[in-house]
Amino acid sequence: MASTADIKNGVVLSIDGQLWNVVEFQHVKPGKGGAFVRTKLKNVVSGKVVDRTYNAGAKIEIENVDRRDFTYLYNDGDSYVFMDVSDYDQLSVSSTVVGDAANYLLENQQVQIALNNGNPLYVEMPASVVLEITYTEPGLQGDRSSAGTKPATLETGHEIQVPLFVEQGTKVKVDTRTGDYLGRVS
């Protein structure tokens, strides 16, 4: 068992049998009364964010979470197969754990997977990826970069909004957290 003094950003706590990631914390010492720790926690599985306050020195349970580098190999029906970069072991991860990361996964893509006792918790993508646009409607004469957006399908099959001047076959940079178009890549 650990105490609230061990709380840091990125630490995973076990609360009522569920795993919660510490997004941010603040140690508060008011002029009157005892000190306490105010935390913002994100559920590792569901993504739900809650605020929780602990008295200073309270006992908490910290879980051991191992973040390792993996390479995405292929999709096997309802699961995705990754290879550990360090020992070349293959890991099959269910599509529910992969979640929205599947929209940006290409073969041989480097990702980080958080493991707890050998069980994958979530897949962490790089902040942005470069993908090719496989289909989009042609832009009309007079379209300008500030004139709006149109839907475009990426090589992974995911659809994003791009400026009107972007054409089919263009490589674009996409934010993996929000799905936003970040720019063209030459």
Side-chain angles (χ1 to χ4, degrees):
M1 287 297 248
S3 73
T4 54
D6 299 317
I7 292 179
K8 294 176 181 52
N9 289 347
V11 168
V12 177
L13 306 177
S14 177
I15 304 170
D16 301 329
Q18 293 187 337
L19 297 177
W20 296 82
N21 193 5
V22 177
V23 177
E24 59 184 64
F25 74 100
Q26 181 181 19
H27 188 81
V28 180
K29 175 92 174 82
K32 194 176 195 179
F36 59 91
V37 178
R38 188 178 294 138
T39 62
K40 183 178 278 188
L41 305 172
K42 181 177 180 182
N43 190 305
V44 169
V45 177
S46 68
K48 179 181 175 185
V49 177
V50 297
D51 292 325
R52 191 125 185 211
T53 304
Y54 295 97
N55 290 331
K59 297 293 179 203
I60 56 172
E61 193 174 334
I62 293 181
E63 283 291 326
N64 182 23
V65 174
D66 185 23
R67 289 178 177 85
R68 295 200 313 226
D69 292 328
F70 283 81
T71 301
Y72 171 61
L73 296 178
Y74 59 92
N75 183 346
D76 186 24
D78 192 37
S79 61
Y80 293 80
V81 179
F82 295 88
M83 179 183 67
D84 192 331
V85 174
S86 60
D87 59 11
Y88 305 112
D89 281 347
Q90 290 189 7
L91 176 68
S92 186
V93 180
S94 73
S95 58
T96 54
V97 173
V98 174
D100 290 339
N103 296 333
Y104 311 105
L105 271 178
L106 285 178
E107 290 181 6
N108 299 321
Q109 174 113 33
Q110 298 295 319
V111 298
Q112 264 197 343
I113 298 180
L115 302 165
N116 175 255
N117 300 329
N119 298 326
L121 299 175
Y122 57 87
V123 174
E124 206 170 282
M125 294 288 293
S128 64
V129 292
V130 175
L131 297 168
E132 186 176 326
I133 293 181
T134 56
Y135 178 77
T136 187
E137 294 291 330
L140 301 172
Q141 180 64 33
D143 286 343
R144 300 289 177 260
S145 62
S146 62
T149 61
K150 63 182 178 181
T153 306
L154 300 170
E155 59 187 305
T156 60
H158 184 62
E159 194 171 276
I160 63 168
Q161 293 293 319
V162 297
L164 294 169
F165 63 83
V166 175
E167 298 172 354
Q168 188 168 315
T170 306
K171 289 198 178 281
V172 294
K173 195 173 199 177
V174 181
D175 187 326
T176 57
R177 297 162 299 208
T178 61
D180 292 342
Y181 163 85
L182 296 175
R184 290 184 288 188
V185 177
S186 52

PDB file of all heavy atoms in Angstrom, residues 18-48:
ATOM      1  N   GLN A  18     -11.397  -1.212 -10.070  1.00  0.00           N
ATOM      2  CA  GLN A  18     -11.211  -0.613 -11.388  1.00  0.00           C
ATOM      3  C   GLN A  18      -9.895   0.157 -11.415  1.00  0.00           C
ATOM      4  O   GLN A  18      -9.424   0.629 -10.385  1.00  0.00           O
ATOM      5  CB  GLN A  18     -12.364   0.332 -11.729  1.00  0.00           C
ATOM      6  CG  GLN A  18     -13.685  -0.365 -11.926  1.00  0.00           C
ATOM      7  CD  GLN A  18     -14.745   0.602 -12.425  1.00  0.00           C
ATOM      8  OE1 GLN A  18     -14.647   1.814 -12.239  1.00  0.00           O
ATOM      9  NE2 GLN A  18     -15.759   0.055 -13.063  1.00  0.00           N
ATOM     10  N   LEU A  19      -9.311   0.283 -12.606  1.00  0.00           N
ATOM     11  CA  LEU A  19      -8.040   0.987 -12.762  1.00  0.00           C
ATOM     12  C   LEU A  19      -8.302   2.421 -13.218  1.00  0.00           C
ATOM     13  O   LEU A  19      -9.033   2.654 -14.180  1.00  0.00           O
ATOM     14  CB  LEU A  19      -7.152   0.261 -13.768  1.00  0.00           C
ATOM     15  CG  LEU A  19      -6.735  -1.153 -13.372  1.00  0.00           C
ATOM     16  CD1 LEU A  19      -5.924  -1.794 -14.474  1.00  0.00           C
ATOM     17  CD2 LEU A  19      -5.960  -1.157 -12.073  1.00  0.00           C
ATOM     18  N   TRP A  20      -7.671   3.375 -12.523  1.00  0.00           N
ATOM     19  CA  TRP A  20      -7.834   4.796 -12.817  1.00  0.00           C
ATOM     20  C   TRP A  20      -6.463   5.426 -12.997  1.00  0.00           C
ATOM     21  O   TRP A  20      -5.581   5.258 -12.163  1.00  0.00           O
ATOM     22  CB  TRP A  20      -8.573   5.494 -11.687  1.00  0.00           C
ATOM     23  CG  TRP A  20      -9.970   5.001 -11.499  1.00  0.00           C
ATOM     24  CD1 TRP A  20     -10.363   3.889 -10.813  1.00  0.00           C
ATOM     25  CD2 TRP A  20     -11.154   5.571 -12.021  1.00  0.00           C
ATOM     26  NE1 TRP A  20     -11.722   3.749 -10.880  1.00  0.00           N
ATOM     27  CE2 TRP A  20     -12.240   4.769 -11.609  1.00  0.00           C
ATOM     28  CE3 TRP A  20     -11.415   6.700 -12.803  1.00  0.00           C
ATOM     29  CZ2 TRP A  20     -13.547   5.054 -11.953  1.00  0.00           C
ATOM     30  CZ3 TRP A  20     -12.734   6.991 -13.133  1.00  0.00           C
ATOM     31  CH2 TRP A  20     -13.781   6.170 -12.713  1.00  0.00           C
ATOM     32  N   ASN A  21      -6.280   6.167 -14.085  1.00  0.00           N
ATOM     33  CA  ASN A  21      -5.034   6.848 -14.411  1.00  0.00           C
ATOM     34  C   ASN A  21      -5.094   8.269 -13.846  1.00  0.00           C
ATOM     35  O   ASN A  21      -6.078   8.974 -14.052  1.00  0.00           O
ATOM     36  CB  ASN A  21      -4.873   6.880 -15.933  1.00  0.00           C
ATOM     37  CG  ASN A  21      -3.497   7.266 -16.363  1.00  0.00           C
ATOM     38  OD1 ASN A  21      -2.600   7.430 -15.551  1.00  0.00           O
ATOM     39  ND2 ASN A  21      -3.327   7.426 -17.665  1.00  0.00           N
ATOM     40  N   VAL A  22      -4.058   8.724 -13.134  1.00  0.00           N
ATOM     41  CA  VAL A  22      -4.021  10.080 -12.590  1.00  0.00           C
ATOM     42  C   VAL A  22      -3.675  11.042 -13.724  1.00  0.00           C
ATOM     43  O   VAL A  22      -2.576  11.004 -14.267  1.00  0.00           O
ATOM     44  CB  VAL A  22      -2.992  10.197 -11.449  1.00  0.00           C
ATOM     45  CG1 VAL A  22      -2.913  11.635 -10.954  1.00  0.00           C
ATOM     46  CG2 VAL A  22      -3.338   9.254 -10.311  1.00  0.00           C
ATOM     47  N   VAL A  23      -4.646  11.893 -14.102  1.00  0.00           N
ATOM     48  CA  VAL A  23      -4.440  12.873 -15.166  1.00  0.00           C
ATOM     49  C   VAL A  23      -3.733  14.093 -14.592  1.00  0.00           C
ATOM     50  O   VAL A  23      -2.783  14.606 -15.172  1.00  0.00           O
ATOM     51  CB  VAL A  23      -5.779  13.273 -15.817  1.00  0.00           C
ATOM     52  CG1 VAL A  23      -5.577  14.330 -16.875  1.00  0.00           C
ATOM     53  CG2 VAL A  23      -6.465  12.052 -16.401  1.00  0.00           C
ATOM     54  N   GLU A  24      -4.215  14.563 -13.448  1.00  0.00           N
ATOM     55  CA  GLU A  24      -3.549  15.671 -12.767  1.00  0.00           C
ATOM     56  C   GLU A  24      -3.847  15.593 -11.281  1.00  0.00           C
ATOM     57  O   GLU A  24      -4.834  14.991 -10.862  1.00  0.00           O
ATOM     58  CB  GLU A  24      -3.945  17.024 -13.347  1.00  0.00           C
ATOM     59  CG  GLU A  24      -5.413  17.348 -13.299  1.00  0.00           C
ATOM     60  CD  GLU A  24      -5.747  18.668 -13.992  1.00  0.00           C
ATOM     61  OE1 GLU A  24      -5.544  18.758 -15.214  1.00  0.00           O
ATOM     62  OE2 GLU A  24      -6.207  19.580 -13.298  1.00  0.00           O
ATOM     63  N   PHE A  25      -2.960  16.175 -10.486  1.00  0.00           N
ATOM     64  CA  PHE A  25      -3.156  16.185  -9.043  1.00  0.00           C
ATOM     65  C   PHE A  25      -2.642  17.499  -8.477  1.00  0.00           C
ATOM     66  O   PHE A  25      -1.849  18.200  -9.108  1.00  0.00           O
ATOM     67  CB  PHE A  25      -2.426  15.001  -8.380  1.00  0.00           C
ATOM     68  CG  PHE A  25      -0.938  15.166  -8.316  1.00  0.00           C
ATOM     69  CD1 PHE A  25      -0.313  15.588  -7.154  1.00  0.00           C
ATOM     70  CD2 PHE A  25      -0.155  14.919  -9.424  1.00  0.00           C
ATOM     71  CE1 PHE A  25       1.058  15.755  -7.102  1.00  0.00           C
ATOM     72  CE2 PHE A  25       1.220  15.079  -9.382  1.00  0.00           C
ATOM     73  CZ  PHE A  25       1.831  15.501  -8.216  1.00  0.00           C
ATOM     74  N   GLN A  26      -3.133  17.832  -7.273  1.00  0.00           N
ATOM     75  CA  GLN A  26      -2.712  19.063  -6.625  1.00  0.00           C
ATOM     76  C   GLN A  26      -2.694  18.824  -5.125  1.00  0.00           C
ATOM     77  O   GLN A  26      -3.701  18.389  -4.554  1.00  0.00           O
ATOM     78  CB  GLN A  26      -3.677  20.194  -6.987  1.00  0.00           C
ATOM     79  CG  GLN A  26      -3.315  21.520  -6.390  1.00  0.00           C
ATOM     80  CD  GLN A  26      -4.306  22.612  -6.757  1.00  0.00           C
ATOM     81  OE1 GLN A  26      -5.426  22.313  -7.148  1.00  0.00           O
ATOM     82  NE2 GLN A  26      -3.895  23.850  -6.635  1.00  0.00           N
ATOM     83  N   HIS A  27      -1.574  19.087  -4.492  1.00  0.00           N
ATOM     84  CA  HIS A  27      -1.449  18.971  -3.045  1.00  0.00           C
ATOM     85  C   HIS A  27      -1.884  20.312  -2.450  1.00  0.00           C
ATOM     86  O   HIS A  27      -1.306  21.342  -2.769  1.00  0.00           O
ATOM     87  CB  HIS A  27      -0.012  18.639  -2.652  1.00  0.00           C
ATOM     88  CG  HIS A  27       0.141  18.327  -1.207  1.00  0.00           C
ATOM     89  ND1 HIS A  27      -0.164  17.095  -0.683  1.00  0.00           N
ATOM     90  CD2 HIS A  27       0.538  19.089  -0.162  1.00  0.00           C
ATOM     91  CE1 HIS A  27       0.050  17.109   0.617  1.00  0.00           C
ATOM     92  NE2 HIS A  27       0.478  18.312   0.948  1.00  0.00           N
ATOM     93  N   VAL A  28      -2.928  20.314  -1.604  1.00  0.00           N
ATOM     94  CA  VAL A  28      -3.498  21.553  -1.072  1.00  0.00           C
ATOM     95  C   VAL A  28      -3.284  21.596   0.433  1.00  0.00           C
ATOM     96  O   VAL A  28      -3.628  20.650   1.141  1.00  0.00           O
ATOM     97  CB  VAL A  28      -5.003  21.647  -1.402  1.00  0.00           C
ATOM     98  CG1 VAL A  28      -5.586  22.931  -0.860  1.00  0.00           C
ATOM     99  CG2 VAL A  28      -5.230  21.535  -2.898  1.00  0.00           C
ATOM    100  N   LYS A  29      -2.738  22.697   0.924  1.00  0.00           N
ATOM    101  CA  LYS A  29      -2.544  22.904   2.363  1.00  0.00           C
ATOM    102  C   LYS A  29      -3.262  24.194   2.732  1.00  0.00           C
ATOM    103  O   LYS A  29      -2.704  25.289   2.624  1.00  0.00           O
ATOM    104  CB  LYS A  29      -1.044  23.015   2.670  1.00  0.00           C
ATOM    105  CG  LYS A  29      -0.727  23.355   4.101  1.00  0.00           C
ATOM    106  CD  LYS A  29      -0.521  22.116   4.923  1.00  0.00           C
ATOM    107  CE  LYS A  29      -0.063  22.428   6.321  1.00  0.00           C
ATOM    108  NZ  LYS A  29      -1.130  22.785   7.225  1.00  0.00           N
ATOM    109  N   PRO A  30      -4.520  24.076   3.131  1.00  0.00           N
ATOM    110  CA  PRO A  30      -5.254  25.301   3.500  1.00  0.00           C
ATOM    111  C   PRO A  30      -4.711  25.870   4.816  1.00  0.00           C
ATOM    112  O   PRO A  30      -4.063  25.168   5.581  1.00  0.00           O
ATOM    113  CB  PRO A  30      -6.695  24.818   3.648  1.00  0.00           C
ATOM    114  CG  PRO A  30      -6.591  23.370   3.945  1.00  0.00           C
ATOM    115  CD  PRO A  30      -5.332  22.881   3.283  1.00  0.00           C
ATOM    116  N   GLY A  31      -4.993  27.131   5.082  1.00  0.00           N
ATOM    117  CA  GLY A  31      -4.527  27.768   6.308  1.00  0.00           C
ATOM    118  C   GLY A  31      -5.149  27.140   7.539  1.00  0.00           C
ATOM    119  O   GLY A  31      -4.567  27.112   8.611  1.00  0.00           O
ATOM    120  N   LYS A  32      -6.348  26.619   7.384  1.00  0.00           N
ATOM    121  CA  LYS A  32      -7.072  26.034   8.508  1.00  0.00           C
ATOM    122  C   LYS A  32      -7.427  24.598   8.138  1.00  0.00           C
ATOM    123  O   LYS A  32      -7.922  24.339   7.058  1.00  0.00           O
ATOM    124  CB  LYS A  32      -8.342  26.858   8.727  1.00  0.00           C
ATOM    125  CG  LYS A  32      -9.053  26.638  10.009  1.00  0.00           C
ATOM    126  CD  LYS A  32     -10.208  27.618  10.064  1.00  0.00           C
ATOM    127  CE  LYS A  32     -10.746  27.711  11.460  1.00  0.00           C
ATOM    128  NZ  LYS A  32     -11.838  28.680  11.504  1.00  0.00           N
ATOM    129  N   GLY A  33      -7.163  23.649   9.003  1.00  0.00           N
ATOM    130  CA  GLY A  33      -7.510  22.254   8.719  1.00  0.00           C
ATOM    131  C   GLY A  33      -6.337  21.494   8.142  1.00  0.00           C
ATOM    132  O   GLY A  33      -5.246  22.036   7.951  1.00  0.00           O
ATOM    133  N   GLY A  34      -6.588  20.217   7.850  1.00  0.00           N
ATOM    134  CA  GLY A  34      -5.531  19.339   7.359  1.00  0.00           C
ATOM    135  C   GLY A  34      -5.307  19.459   5.868  1.00  0.00           C
ATOM    136  O   GLY A  34      -6.186  19.891   5.121  1.00  0.00           O
ATOM    137  N   ALA A  35      -4.138  19.037   5.439  1.00  0.00           N
ATOM    138  CA  ALA A  35      -3.806  19.050   4.020  1.00  0.00           C
ATOM    139  C   ALA A  35      -4.563  17.936   3.302  1.00  0.00           C
ATOM    140  O   ALA A  35      -4.969  16.946   3.912  1.00  0.00           O
ATOM    141  CB  ALA A  35      -2.307  18.859   3.831  1.00  0.00           C
ATOM    142  N   PHE A  36      -4.763  18.101   1.983  1.00  0.00           N
ATOM    143  CA  PHE A  36      -5.415  17.066   1.180  1.00  0.00           C
ATOM    144  C   PHE A  36      -4.875  17.097  -0.238  1.00  0.00           C
ATOM    145  O   PHE A  36      -4.185  18.039  -0.624  1.00  0.00           O
ATOM    146  CB  PHE A  36      -6.938  17.204   1.210  1.00  0.00           C
ATOM    147  CG  PHE A  36      -7.462  18.529   0.703  1.00  0.00           C
ATOM    148  CD1 PHE A  36      -7.786  18.693  -0.630  1.00  0.00           C
ATOM    149  CD2 PHE A  36      -7.634  19.602   1.568  1.00  0.00           C
ATOM    150  CE1 PHE A  36      -8.268  19.899  -1.105  1.00  0.00           C
ATOM    151  CE2 PHE A  36      -8.121  20.816   1.105  1.00  0.00           C
ATOM    152  CZ  PHE A  36      -8.438  20.965  -0.230  1.00  0.00           C
ATOM    153  N   VAL A  37      -5.163  16.040  -0.983  1.00  0.00           N
ATOM    154  CA  VAL A  37      -4.717  15.924  -2.369  1.00  0.00           C
ATOM    155  C   VAL A  37      -5.952  15.857  -3.260  1.00  0.00           C
ATOM    156  O   VAL A  37      -6.805  14.986  -3.092  1.00  0.00           O
ATOM    157  CB  VAL A  37      -3.838  14.671  -2.572  1.00  0.00           C
ATOM    158  CG1 VAL A  37      -3.431  14.548  -4.024  1.00  0.00           C
ATOM    159  CG2 VAL A  37      -2.613  14.734  -1.683  1.00  0.00           C
ATOM    160  N   ARG A  38      -6.029  16.804  -4.200  1.00  0.00           N
ATOM    161  CA  ARG A  38      -7.145  16.854  -5.147  1.00  0.00           C
ATOM    162  C   ARG A  38      -6.652  16.221  -6.442  1.00  0.00           C
ATOM    163  O   ARG A  38      -5.608  16.609  -6.970  1.00  0.00           O
ATOM    164  CB  ARG A  38      -7.549  18.309  -5.369  1.00  0.00           C
ATOM    165  CG  ARG A  38      -8.808  18.485  -6.178  1.00  0.00           C
ATOM    166  CD  ARG A  38      -9.175  19.958  -6.310  1.00  0.00           C
ATOM    167  NE  ARG A  38      -9.532  20.522  -5.017  1.00  0.00           N
ATOM    168  CZ  ARG A  38      -9.153  21.722  -4.592  1.00  0.00           C
ATOM    169  NH1 ARG A  38      -8.387  22.478  -5.340  1.00  0.00           N
ATOM    170  NH2 ARG A  38      -9.525  22.172  -3.424  1.00  0.00           N
ATOM    171  N   THR A  39      -7.389  15.218  -6.972  1.00  0.00           N
ATOM    172  CA  THR A  39      -6.951  14.515  -8.177  1.00  0.00           C
ATOM    173  C   THR A  39      -8.032  14.518  -9.242  1.00  0.00           C
ATOM    174  O   THR A  39      -9.221  14.610  -8.934  1.00  0.00           O
ATOM    175  CB  THR A  39      -6.585  13.048  -7.880  1.00  0.00           C
ATOM    176  OG1 THR A  39      -7.751  12.376  -7.398  1.00  0.00           O
ATOM    177  CG2 THR A  39      -5.473  12.938  -6.872  1.00  0.00           C
ATOM    178  N   LYS A  40      -7.591  14.408 -10.489  1.00  0.00           N
ATOM    179  CA  LYS A  40      -8.488  14.169 -11.621  1.00  0.00           C
ATOM    180  C   LYS A  40      -8.078  12.809 -12.164  1.00  0.00           C
ATOM    181  O   LYS A  40      -6.940  12.609 -12.564  1.00  0.00           O
ATOM    182  CB  LYS A  40      -8.348  15.252 -12.683  1.00  0.00           C
ATOM    183  CG  LYS A  40      -9.321  15.083 -13.851  1.00  0.00           C
ATOM    184  CD  LYS A  40      -9.176  16.193 -14.857  1.00  0.00           C
ATOM    185  CE  LYS A  40      -9.969  17.393 -14.362  1.00  0.00           C
ATOM    186  NZ  LYS A  40     -10.041  18.459 -15.384  1.00  0.00           N
ATOM    187  N   LEU A  41      -9.015  11.841 -12.152  1.00  0.00           N
ATOM    188  CA  LEU A  41      -8.723  10.468 -12.532  1.00  0.00           C
ATOM    189  C   LEU A  41      -9.501  10.090 -13.783  1.00  0.00           C
ATOM    190  O   LEU A  41     -10.654  10.480 -13.944  1.00  0.00           O
ATOM    191  CB  LEU A  41      -9.110   9.512 -11.393  1.00  0.00           C
ATOM    192  CG  LEU A  41      -8.488   9.792 -10.029  1.00  0.00           C
ATOM    193  CD1 LEU A  41      -9.104   8.904  -8.969  1.00  0.00           C
ATOM    194  CD2 LEU A  41      -6.996   9.590 -10.081  1.00  0.00           C
ATOM    195  N   LYS A  42      -8.847   9.308 -14.662  1.00  0.00           N
ATOM    196  CA  LYS A  42      -9.492   8.824 -15.885  1.00  0.00           C
ATOM    197  C   LYS A  42      -9.534   7.309 -15.842  1.00  0.00           C
ATOM    198  O   LYS A  42      -8.508   6.660 -15.637  1.00  0.00           O
ATOM    199  CB  LYS A  42      -8.698   9.288 -17.110  1.00  0.00           C
ATOM    200  CG  LYS A  42      -9.305   8.859 -18.432  1.00  0.00           C
ATOM    201  CD  LYS A  42      -8.501   9.411 -19.593  1.00  0.00           C
ATOM    202  CE  LYS A  42      -9.093   8.991 -20.907  1.00  0.00           C
ATOM    203  NZ  LYS A  42      -8.326   9.471 -22.036  1.00  0.00           N
ATOM    204  N   ASN A  43     -10.728   6.736 -16.027  1.00  0.00           N
ATOM    205  CA  ASN A  43     -10.879   5.289 -16.029  1.00  0.00           C
ATOM    206  C   ASN A  43     -10.145   4.723 -17.237  1.00  0.00           C
ATOM    207  O   ASN A  43     -10.341   5.169 -18.361  1.00  0.00           O
ATOM    208  CB  ASN A  43     -12.361   4.906 -16.068  1.00  0.00           C
ATOM    209  CG  ASN A  43     -12.575   3.436 -15.835  1.00  0.00           C
ATOM    210  OD1 ASN A  43     -12.017   2.590 -16.526  1.00  0.00           O
ATOM    211  ND2 ASN A  43     -13.397   3.123 -14.858  1.00  0.00           N
ATOM    212  N   VAL A  44      -9.284   3.734 -16.989  1.00  0.00           N
ATOM    213  CA  VAL A  44      -8.435   3.172 -18.046  1.00  0.00           C
ATOM    214  C   VAL A  44      -9.281   2.470 -19.105  1.00  0.00           C
ATOM    215  O   VAL A  44      -8.985   2.546 -20.290  1.00  0.00           O
ATOM    216  CB  VAL A  44      -7.401   2.203 -17.432  1.00  0.00           C
ATOM    217  CG1 VAL A  44      -6.688   1.413 -18.497  1.00  0.00           C
ATOM    218  CG2 VAL A  44      -6.401   2.972 -16.590  1.00  0.00           C
ATOM    219  N   VAL A  45     -10.364   1.806 -18.697  1.00  0.00           N
ATOM    220  CA  VAL A  45     -11.175   1.034 -19.631  1.00  0.00           C
ATOM    221  C   VAL A  45     -12.215   1.908 -20.337  1.00  0.00           C
ATOM    222  O   VAL A  45     -12.290   1.939 -21.559  1.00  0.00           O
ATOM    223  CB  VAL A  45     -11.872  -0.139 -18.908  1.00  0.00           C
ATOM    224  CG1 VAL A  45     -12.768  -0.903 -19.850  1.00  0.00           C
ATOM    225  CG2 VAL A  45     -10.835  -1.060 -18.286  1.00  0.00           C
ATOM    226  N   SER A  46     -13.018   2.656 -19.570  1.00  0.00           N
ATOM    227  CA  SER A  46     -14.139   3.397 -20.160  1.00  0.00           C
ATOM    228  C   SER A  46     -13.768   4.808 -20.607  1.00  0.00           C
ATOM    229  O   SER A  46     -14.468   5.400 -21.420  1.00  0.00           O
ATOM    230  CB  SER A  46     -15.298   3.470 -19.161  1.00  0.00           C
ATOM    231  OG  SER A  46     -14.949   4.292 -18.057  1.00  0.00           O
ATOM    232  N   GLY A  47     -12.706   5.386 -20.037  1.00  0.00           N
ATOM    233  CA  GLY A  47     -12.321   6.750 -20.401  1.00  0.00           C
ATOM    234  C   GLY A  47     -13.047   7.811 -19.599  1.00  0.00           C
ATOM    235  O   GLY A  47     -12.840   8.998 -19.798  1.00  0.00           O
ATOM    236  N   LYS A  48     -13.910   7.414 -18.655  1.00  0.00           N
ATOM    237  CA  LYS A  48     -14.660   8.352 -17.825  1.00  0.00           C
ATOM    238  C   LYS A  48     -13.694   9.113 -16.918  1.00  0.00           C
ATOM    239  O   LYS A  48     -12.767   8.545 -16.356  1.00  0.00           O
ATOM    240  CB  LYS A  48     -15.669   7.578 -16.979  1.00  0.00           C
ATOM    241  CG  LYS A  48     -16.493   8.406 -16.056  1.00  0.00           C
ATOM    242  CD  LYS A  48     -17.452   7.532 -15.255  1.00  0.00           C
ATOM    243  CE  LYS A  48     -18.202   8.363 -14.249  1.00  0.00           C
ATOM    244  NZ  LYS A  48     -19.033   7.526 -13.383  1.00  0.00           N
TER     245      LYS A  48
END
